[in-house]
Amino acid sequence: MSGHPYCRRFSNEEIMWIKEMCMAGIPPRQILSSLRQSNPHLRAISRNIYNKKAKILEESLAGRTVIQALVDELGEGGFSYNIEYDQEGYLTHLFFAHPISLELSKSYPHVFLMDCTYKTNKYKMPLLDIIGVSSFNTSFYSCFVFMQKEEEKDYVWALEMFNKILGVHNQPLVIISDRELALMNAIRIVFPSACNLLCVWHIEKNILANCKPYFREEVDWVAFLSTWADLIKSPNESSFDKAWDCFENEYKENAAVLNYIKGTWLPLKEKFVSAWTDEVAHLGNRATSRAEGAHATLKKYLQVSTGGLREVKEKICLAIEHQFQEIKTQLSSEKVRVPHRLRIPFFKEVVTHVSMFALDELYKQHEAAKYGNLSSQCTGHFFKTMGIPCGHMIKDMKIQVLPLNAIHNQWRIDARLFNNDQHASLDDENDQINSLLLDFKEKYEKLPILQKDDTKRQLSQFVGTSFPLILEPKIQPHKGRPLGSKKRNESSSTRREPSKFEIVEKSRKCSVCKGVGHNKSTCPFQVAS
């Protein structure tokens, strides 16, 4: 009897546990281990958990298609969302923002980071992840967009949806991305007043991938990177011009490297060189490392890259809710926390009103002003970029107590109260609808009989309109070697493919110049000689 399926059935209580653990994103094997701890005589195997999970999913659909169920859940959950589909009815774009994310985005609208991540769903659709920055200098998920392609029109559609949920009074000041030209063009179209900065880390890695093969010795490459770092840290335009002249003169013999820098990065210097970026309030964000970290965190929840959009949405919700609870707890903690070192008159007005991150930065500047550890001249860059008074300003103020309005609103915690009400973000919109309904009712009562009948018929048609049948997205073509190749195996891993700079760093070296990215037959030095 031990091999009969009847012996491996679950009790009603165990089925409830399985449902709860599935909703929490716990893998089937761990679910089985948990059940066996409470019931050592359980004879079920992993396949029984998978079957029960599939049955739970089928019951949750209740006869609906996957996309219909997804749209219903988004609407019922208070999400801000939109979809697009092609002429054949296949889903091509899906935008959604959790009500919690919407509340955070409107509370912190100053700086956002945008980047796509891959290997998140079985349709191989790129996922545009928009990340915000909180008062505590931590990250939060703002919204997600599944797109068919990464072309300019796709990004424009995504950013227009993002712009719509933010509203006209919450426009971003700074948007940070990598050198994705389609995304950069979309940012310029949708957010013309925002300053689009480029990730300095990605720039360095692009230079590594494209320039390192042209340097024979490692010491020459290290010297080149040092010169480049000094160039992009130029504090003003005149110093940048001088540094660029020296850079151009030093590497004039290396035409390939110089042409790459001139053609690719020099036209975009205003987006990553300190002389220009230090004039905008980027709040210390000059790289998309936040976005990369957010991608990694999200993939820990996803676990596999073969889930459908509905499953991915559920895992995203878990990540957002966990993230929100962390922010909410930290907010409550810092409103009552007063570190001993800040118990001095200067911080009287700002302590418990400003985040600890901002207070720590302010304390460093206060100590520098107190002990005279300041540079000879104030550039004003720290205050412009961080929204926190620098040591020079503190010294010049000659005041006993710093006023609260001297701190950028980004770092304020006293006026923020997150209620975690899923429908709170819709209150304003509901008020507008109720106002329109009252106006409509008042006008309707004054209409002639025939116009009343016509109006009722139009309303009946609107209310009775059914949601169009939308099919699951088409699987996007795989990049690289065709799937039928024996040398390429399909994987459910969410691990990203190696970037070009990683391939260059790990590649075998040329036997002639000891460079990477080529062999002796294609060595640029061999060809030149």
Side-chain angles (χ1 to χ4, degrees):
M1 285 293 291
S2 60
H4 197 278
Y6 182 85
C7 299
R8 300 196 297 272
R9 62 180 180 166
F10 300 105
S11 65
N12 291 333
E13 185 179 4
E14 289 170 339
I15 293 173
M16 289 299 297
W17 288 350
I18 293 172
K19 286 183 179 179
E20 291 175 359
M21 286 188 278
C22 285
M23 290 178 64
I26 300 174
R29 290 187 180 276
Q30 293 182 17
I31 293 175
L32 184 59
S33 298
S34 177
L35 292 175
R36 281 179 176 159
Q37 287 179 355
S38 59
N39 181 10
H41 302 291
L42 184 68
R43 296 180 179 179
I45 58 176
S46 296
R47 174 47 52 192
N48 298 120
I49 302 291
Y50 281 102
N51 291 341
K52 180 56 67 176
K53 189 176 178 180
K55 187 175 181 180
I56 292 170
L57 176 62
E58 184 180 357
E59 290 174 351
S60 68
L61 290 175
R64 302 169 295 178
T65 66
V66 174
I67 301 301
Q68 284 176 327
L70 173 61
V71 171
D72 289 345
E73 290 171 0
L74 291 173
E76 293 167 0
F79 286 73
S80 296
Y81 73 97
N82 198 15
I83 58 174
E84 271 205 351
Y85 48 92
D86 58 21
Q87 295 179 347
E88 299 175 359
Y90 290 98
L91 183 75
T92 58
H93 298 77
L94 170 64
F95 170 95
F96 65 94
H98 196 287
I100 289 173
S101 298
L102 185 56
E103 187 176 3
L104 290 171
S105 299
K106 288 186 175 182
S107 184
Y108 303 110
H110 307 292
V111 176
F112 290 101
L113 299 90
M114 300 182 180
D115 190 32
C116 274
T117 185
Y118 310 92
K119 301 179 77 172
T120 61
N121 59 92
K122 66 181 181 182
Y123 312 106
K124 301 180 176 63
M125 299 177 76
L127 175 61
L128 176 62
D129 189 2
I130 300 181
I131 306 298
V133 183
S134 73
S135 295
F136 318 104
N137 200 37
T138 57
S139 307
F140 64 87
Y141 296 106
S142 181
C143 67
F144 296 87
V145 192
F146 289 100
M147 305 185 298
Q148 187 178 47
K149 297 180 180 178
E150 293 177 85
E151 298 177 355
E152 183 178 317
K153 61 181 181 180
D154 301 287
Y155 283 118
V156 168
W157 182 88
L159 296 191
E160 283 178 345
M161 297 301 105
F162 182 52
N163 188 22
K164 191 173 288 293
I165 66 169
L166 286 179
V168 294
H169 301 297
N170 297 297
Q171 294 294 290
L173 301 177
V174 177
I175 297 175
I176 302 158
S177 67
D178 55 14
R179 188 182 171 274
E180 177 67 38
L181 297 179
L183 175 57
M184 292 169 63
N185 291 336
I187 292 172
R188 189 184 69 253
I189 293 170
V190 182
F191 297 106
S193 62
C195 179
N196 179 203
L197 302 184
L198 297 183
C199 173
V200 292
W201 184 86
H202 277 96
I203 292 173
E204 181 181 328
K205 296 307 177 183
N206 273 277
I207 289 175
L208 185 152
N210 290 280
C211 297
K212 190 174 183 180
Y214 295 99
F215 290 85
R216 286 175 180 256
E217 304 295 334
E218 184 68 20
V219 64
D220 294 334
W221 170 245
V222 173
F224 172 81
L225 282 183
S226 178
T227 306
W228 171 256
D230 292 339
L231 177 67
I232 66 174
K233 290 178 182 177
S234 302
N236 51 61
E237 295 184 35
S238 60
S239 63
F240 173 80
D241 292 336
K242 292 178 182 178
W244 171 252
D245 290 338
C246 295
F247 182 88
E248 194 173 18
N249 183 60
E250 186 173 353
Y251 295 101
K252 61 184 178 182
E253 302 298 330
N254 202 333
V257 171
L258 201 58
N259 289 336
Y260 171 73
I261 298 294
K262 280 184 175 181
T264 305
W265 299 112
L266 189 60
L268 302 173
K269 61 181 183 295
E270 293 89 351
K271 297 182 180 294
F272 63 89
V273 176
S274 297
W276 289 272
T277 60
D278 284 351
E279 297 296 320
V280 297
H282 54 64
L283 307 177
N285 295 276
R286 293 188 61 196
T288 56
S289 53
R290 289 182 183 277
E292 302 295 341
H295 298 337
T297 300
L298 179 61
K299 289 185 175 182
K300 289 178 182 178
Y301 282 88
L302 295 180
Q303 298 175 351
V304 296
S305 61
T306 54
L309 298 184
R310 189 168 175 239
E311 291 87 348
V312 173
K313 187 270 297 180
E314 291 173 353
K315 300 292 179 65
I316 286 174
C317 288
L318 293 176
I320 290 173
E321 288 162 6
H322 173 77
Q323 193 179 66
F324 177 75
Q325 192 59 44
E326 293 282 340
I327 292 175
K328 192 176 179 182
T329 301
Q330 191 169 1
L331 179 66
S332 301
S333 174
E334 294 195 3
K335 282 184 177 181
V336 297
R337 180 185 171 197
V338 184
H340 180 72
R341 69 180 185 279
L342 301 182
R343 295 177 184 269
I344 55 179
F346 183 80
F347 293 94
K348 180 181 177 181
E349 296 294 329
V350 295
V351 73
T352 70
H353 296 277
V354 176
S355 70
M356 284 305 305
F357 170 81
L359 289 174
D360 287 339
E361 294 296 321
L362 182 62
Y363 181 76
K364 294 175 186 176
Q365 298 299 320
H366 179 265
E367 291 296 289
K370 181 179 178 181
Y371 296 106
N373 299 327
L374 299 172
S375 58
S376 58
Q377 186 177 3
C378 178
T379 61
H381 290 165
F382 183 80
F383 179 69
K384 289 177 182 177
T385 58
M386 297 296 293
I388 300 172
C390 67
H392 292 92
M393 293 178 64
I394 294 173
K395 185 176 180 180
D396 294 340
M397 284 178 181
K398 297 179 180 179
I399 56 175
Q400 295 296 320
V401 180
L402 182 71
L404 186 58
N405 59 12
I407 307 294
H408 194 288
N409 187 58
Q410 165 74 17
W411 311 118
R412 297 279 296 273
I413 61 175
D414 53 347
R416 290 186 166 91
L417 180 63
F418 303 118
N419 298 316
N420 194 14
D421 183 359
Q422 290 197 340
H423 296 279
S425 61
L426 300 177
D427 286 346
D428 293 339
E429 188 173 346
N430 289 337
D431 290 342
Q432 294 176 6
I433 294 295
N434 291 331
S435 178
L436 285 173
L437 288 175
L438 290 173
D439 292 342
F440 169 78
K441 185 178 179 182
E442 183 179 349
K443 189 173 182 179
Y444 174 81
E445 292 173 350
K446 299 176 182 179
L447 291 176
I449 296 175
L450 292 179
Q451 288 190 19
K452 284 184 177 181
D453 292 341
D454 187 51
T455 303
K456 285 191 291 185
R457 183 167 57 254
Q458 292 179 18
L459 282 174
S460 299
Q461 290 177 354
F462 173 76
V463 174
T465 302
S466 59
F467 191 82
L469 178 63
I470 300 177
L471 305 175
E472 294 183 63
K474 294 178 180 178
I475 297 179
Q476 299 302 310
H478 224 302
K479 293 182 179 180
R481 190 180 296 275
L483 292 178
S485 171
K486 295 180 180 179
K487 294 185 179 180
R488 178 162 191 169
N489 298 321
E490 193 69 8
S491 171
S492 63
S493 172
T494 59
R495 187 187 180 102
R496 64 176 178 82
E497 300 295 339
S499 300
K500 183 179 178 181
F501 77 87
E502 293 172 311
I503 296 174
V504 168
E505 287 181 323
K506 293 182 180 180
S507 298
R508 297 173 64 180
K509 294 185 177 180
C510 170
S511 59
V512 176
C513 69
K514 307 305 180 184
V516 294
H518 61 271
N519 53 35
K520 66 177 182 179
S521 62
T522 58
C523 176
F525 298 100
Q526 181 87 346
V527 173
S529 61

